[in-house]
């Protein structure tokens, strides 16, 4: 595992798999008839609209050129098109997941609870510690509350329930626990609270949420690790040039992410013991992303660090005060050649590659095929 995925032979094989399996990926079927998704802006398919209205922030994501590649209009996704969760929905021939805050009708095909800017730790913690960067009141606890409300509307109540209503709501469901925790580390970066404390609280909040989900009898859970945030243009633009790792990314941030993912893996192992009938899959976001960075051309990318939709400021085409969606900020003509969309989030092309790597490329532990019985 780890660096073993960086050999040229493996990369050639992986690209061939992605190309040859593209039609299979789009038309495959599986045992799931609905997906419940959790996470932050990397998974949010539209809940951010409420943030823009209620908080006066994030409104830029409702403006062009967001959504321009696939949807041809803004969908409040933080990208030019589809996200990993969208490609997963397509894999199981399901419609794109409706955002919880704009759900119309029932939850027949699932719900997306992810919120851009969301944290693992409760918002109150950031308020008490004067961490003013966190203006988003929702946390993973909020999302679990929404999940419980959806289940209650279907007649499924309580922590452990084997009623027909609960069976119908959960038996053939996939829980997609997208990456969450990046915002916690970002919001606390300039505070007096130690990184160790933040990590402990983040892992604790994630573990608590997963336990509550699993206690309901859910059998299929996918948990994403955190990506190498030190490779995002925002981190690169705001860090000294001598703080770089072997990939050319911000070293300190990536070290923190590695420590986080190691702790998360340890907790998942304990959850597997506690819930032996559940299939809990870990997605190695860090090493999948790193594999692309080490040979971006093999995956069709020309720009590993430069932003597609940005200010024009060298060297990353990124300016924190002139971000994508604001007036006079334009997108590149071919986003498919870029890994980074707006400096913090990725292009549809990168999300597509990552989705294939998770499902077919060996970056799931145990393999994703365990979920679909192949």
């Amino acid at each position: 595992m780890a660096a073993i995925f960086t050999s040229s032979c493996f990369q050639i094989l992986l690209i061939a798999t992605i190309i040859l399996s593209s039609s299979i990926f789009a038309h495959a079927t599986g045992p799931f008839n609905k997906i419940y998704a959790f996470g932050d802006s990397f998974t949010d398919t539209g809940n951010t609209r409420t943030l823009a209205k209620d908080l006066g922030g994030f409104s830029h994501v409702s403006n062009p050129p967001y959504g321009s590649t696939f949807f041809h209009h803004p969908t409040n996704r933080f990208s030019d098109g589809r996200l990993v969760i969208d490609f997963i929905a397509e894999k199981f021939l399901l419609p794109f997941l409706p955002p919880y805050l704009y759900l119309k009708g029932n939850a027949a095909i699932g719900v997306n609870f992810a919120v851009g800017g969301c944290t693992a730790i409760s918002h109150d913690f950031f308020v008490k510690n004067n961490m003013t960067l966190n203006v988003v009141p929702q946390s993973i606890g909020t999302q679990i509350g929404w999940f419980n409300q959806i289940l209650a509307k279907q007649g499924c109540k309580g922590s452990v329930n084997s009623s027909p209503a609960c069976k119908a709501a959960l038996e053939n469901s996939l829980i997609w626990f997208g990456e969450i925790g990046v915002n916690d580390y970002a919001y606390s970066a300039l505070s007096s609270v130690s990184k160790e404390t933040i990590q402990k609280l983040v892992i604790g909040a994630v573990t608590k949420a997963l336990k509550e989900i699993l206690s309901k009898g859910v059998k299929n859970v996918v948990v994403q690790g955190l990506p190498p945030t030190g490779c995002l243009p925002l981190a690169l633009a705001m860090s000294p040039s001598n703080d770089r790792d072997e990939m050319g990314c911000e070293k300190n941030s990536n070290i923190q992410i590695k420590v986080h993912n190691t702790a998360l893996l340890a907790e998942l192992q304990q959850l597997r013991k506690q819930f032996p009938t559940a299939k809990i899959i870990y997605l190695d976001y860090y090493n999948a992303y790193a594999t692309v960075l080490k040979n971006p051309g093999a995956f069709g990318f020309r720009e590993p660090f430069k932003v597609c939709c940005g200010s024009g400021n060298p060297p990353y085409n990124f300016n924190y005060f002139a971000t994508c969606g604001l007036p006079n900020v334009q997108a590149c003509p071919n986003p498919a050649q870029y890994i980074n969309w707006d400096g913090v989030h990725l292009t549809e092309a990168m999300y597509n590659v990552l989705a294939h790597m998770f499902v077919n490329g060996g970056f799931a532990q145990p393999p994703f095929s365990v979920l679909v019985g192949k």
Side-chain angles (χ1 to χ4, degrees):
M1 306 296 285
I4 58 176
F5 293 115
T6 63
S7 69
S8 58
C9 290
F10 178 81
Q11 288 177 333
I12 293 172
L13 178 61
L14 179 58
I15 293 300
T17 300
I18 289 174
I19 294 173
L20 293 174
S21 67
S22 58
S23 60
I24 297 174
F25 186 87
H27 300 290
T29 59
F32 311 117
N33 57 21
K34 64 179 67 174
I35 302 173
Y36 295 110
F38 304 81
D40 59 19
S41 56
F42 275 50
T43 307
D44 185 0
T45 57
N47 287 311
T48 297
R49 277 182 289 182
T50 294
L51 295 180
K53 293 177 181 177
D54 296 347
L55 303 175
F58 296 96
S59 59
H60 64 288
V61 77
S62 299
N63 300 330
Y66 281 94
S68 57
T69 293
F70 180 80
F71 301 99
H72 307 298
H73 62 84
T75 65
N76 294 281
R77 287 168 171 81
F78 290 78
S79 181
D80 61 309
R82 291 164 289 181
L83 314 177
V84 170
I85 188 61
D86 294 315
F87 290 109
I88 296 299
E90 287 182 342
K91 173 178 173 60
F92 297 116
L93 299 180
L94 292 171
F96 297 137
L97 297 183
Y100 170 78
L101 295 176
Y102 290 85
L103 182 64
K104 296 179 180 179
N106 58 31
I109 53 92
V111 186
N112 192 327
F113 303 104
V115 177
C118 190
T119 56
I121 306 170
S122 70
H123 181 65
D124 289 344
F125 172 83
F126 296 94
V127 173
K128 291 177 182 178
N129 287 278
N130 298 314
M131 299 181 198
T132 57
L133 288 176
N134 183 10
V135 297
V136 179
Q138 289 85 5
S139 67
I140 192 60
T142 308
Q143 295 181 34
I144 294 298
W146 292 342
F147 178 53
N148 289 335
Q149 290 175 24
I150 288 292
L151 295 182
K153 289 180 180 178
Q154 299 178 62
C156 179
K157 301 178 181 180
S159 59
V160 180
N161 195 324
S162 58
S163 69
C166 286
K167 189 174 181 180
L170 297 172
E171 184 177 38
N172 297 315
S173 300
L174 173 65
I175 299 296
W176 186 271
F177 206 90
E179 63 111 64
I180 192 163
V182 168
N183 293 318
D184 299 74
Y185 293 118
Y187 297 153
S188 61
L190 301 178
S191 76
S192 59
V193 181
S194 69
K195 293 180 180 179
E196 291 76 17
T197 296
I198 296 298
Q199 180 195 304
K200 182 178 179 180
L201 292 172
V202 169
I203 295 296
V206 168
T207 303
K208 179 181 178 182
L210 287 170
K211 281 184 178 179
E212 183 162 352
I213 291 170
L214 288 162
S215 70
K216 298 179 186 301
V218 171
K219 301 302 181 185
N220 302 289
V221 181
V222 172
V223 182
Q224 288 186 197
L226 299 186
T229 56
C231 300
L232 299 176
L234 171 64
L236 292 168
M238 299 183 71
S239 62
S241 58
N242 61 353
D243 179 17
R244 297 291 182 264
D245 59 18
E246 70 282 358
M247 296 186 293
C249 304
E250 184 197 359
K251 185 176 182 179
N252 286 332
S253 290
N254 281 353
I255 290 174
Q256 184 176 50
I257 296 301
K258 287 180 180 179
V259 173
H260 171 98
N261 287 341
T262 298
L264 176 60
L265 272 169
E267 290 297 330
L268 293 184
Q269 188 57 30
Q270 293 303 312
L271 289 175
R272 291 181 181 117
K273 294 177 182 178
Q274 188 174 348
F275 301 93
T277 61
K279 299 173 183 176
I280 304 174
I281 308 297
Y282 172 75
L283 300 185
D284 191 353
Y285 212 136
Y286 189 101
N287 282 310
Y289 194 120
T291 297
V292 176
L293 268 187
K294 290 173 183 177
N295 190 3
F299 296 86
F301 298 115
R302 294 179 57 186
E303 297 290 349
F305 298 118
K306 193 174 181 180
V307 170
C308 172
C309 183
S311 64
N313 287 26
Y316 306 112
N317 188 34
F318 178 78
N319 182 335
Y320 184 79
F321 299 102
T323 56
C324 188
L326 296 180
N328 302 318
V329 178
Q330 298 181 343
C332 62
N334 191 351
Q337 296 179 348
Y338 288 68
I339 288 176
N340 295 281
W341 169 244
D342 61 8
V344 179
H345 308 95
L346 312 179
T347 59
E348 177 184 274
M350 181 60 168
Y351 285 128
N352 189 15
V353 167
L354 289 169
H356 280 290
M357 294 175 83
F358 294 149
V359 175
N360 303 312
F363 291 91
Q365 306 168 12
F368 200 92
S369 57
V370 169
L371 289 177
V372 296
K374 295 181 181 180

